[in-house]
Amino acid sequence: MKSYQPYSDGQLTHMLQQGDRAAFDTLYERYWLKAVNQAYKRIRDREAAEDIIQNIFVKIWENRNSSIEHFEAFIKRSVRNGVFNYLESLNVRHRYFEPFKQIKLEDVEDLDANVRLQEKDLMGLILVYSKTLPEQRRRIFLLHIQDKLATDEIAEKLQISQKTVQNNIRLALLELQARFGPAALIVIVTLIHTEITIN
């Protein structure tokens, strides 16, 4: 049987689109372990991590006619989404997420009277959400939100540019807003007093 290992990801995804099972198997072998390890680092449950990745590859095969531009980036993004869905399935959503989704923008001005959020619940949301972020962004986001370090302090601590820090926090906040809505973002920014804007 001809080996597909010499083929690039782009060639393999093109052959996959044509229904080539051997191309799919090669991509599976190439990325299975990497993807499982990526998921495991976020949830610390090996069996659950393997289930997440198995579901991802099942969907890839089921939707094999769809075009995938960059397979490795697609897998990383799928793992982050799979981890997030897994965390929601553990009823984390009901404990942390739903109160934020129910907040109305007009309620934000009077947090104590109308929202009545506990800081520990807010931090619970942040910690769960952070597990879905890429590693560097997660570290930067937590240093800023949890440890309350300024962007210049984070840059010095991680030996990266302040601009990189600012960009990563901005991207984290943009995704947070997309997941939980603008009111949740305003509550978090207000309570944590973050210096980053997302405009």
Side-chain angles (χ1 to χ4, degrees), residues 136 140 154-162 164-165 168:
Q136 184 185 54
I140 291 171
I154 298 172
E156 183 177 355
K157 183 180 181 67
L158 300 182
Q159 295 296 295
I160 56 179
S161 73
Q162 187 172 357
T164 297
V165 172
N168 274 276

Side-chain angles (χ1 to χ4, degrees), residues 76-196:
K76 288 180 179 179
R77 184 169 61 252
S78 298
V79 171
R80 289 199 296 272
N81 291 336
V83 166
F84 185 81
N85 292 336
Y86 169 77
L87 292 170
E88 282 193 308
S89 73
L90 294 179
N91 290 324
V92 174
R93 174 176 184 163
H94 297 292
R95 184 175 177 185
Y96 296 127
F97 301 160
E98 291 303 330
F100 288 88
K101 290 187 176 180
Q102 294 168 7
I103 298 170
K104 297 178 181 179
L105 284 173
E106 56 265 29
D107 292 334
V108 174
E109 293 181 0
D110 191 356
L111 292 175
D112 291 334
N114 295 317
V115 184
R116 302 183 188 281
L117 291 173
Q118 299 292 325
E119 187 171 349
K120 65 180 180 180
D121 291 332
L122 177 66
M123 193 53 63
L125 167 68
I126 290 170
L127 291 175
V128 171
Y129 165 69
S130 71
K131 292 179 183 293
T132 69
L133 299 174
E135 180 63 23
Q136 184 185 54
R137 191 170 304 154
R138 182 184 68 81
R139 292 184 64 195
I140 291 171
F141 183 69
L142 290 180
L143 285 170
H144 184 62
I145 299 296
Q146 190 174 32
D147 297 347
K148 302 187 188 318
L149 295 184
T151 56
D152 59 337
E153 294 174 316
I154 298 172
E156 183 177 355
K157 183 180 181 67
L158 300 182
Q159 295 296 295
I160 56 179
S161 73
Q162 187 172 357
K163 186 67 173 177
T164 297
V165 172
Q166 292 172 335
N167 286 341
N168 274 276
I169 295 174
R170 177 178 174 276
L171 289 170
L173 291 175
L174 279 170
E175 187 173 347
L176 188 147
Q177 176 179 254
R179 290 185 184 279
F180 307 120
L185 178 63
I186 292 172
V187 170
I188 289 174
V189 170
T190 301
L191 293 182
I192 302 298
H193 306 294
T194 180
E195 68 195 62
I196 301 297

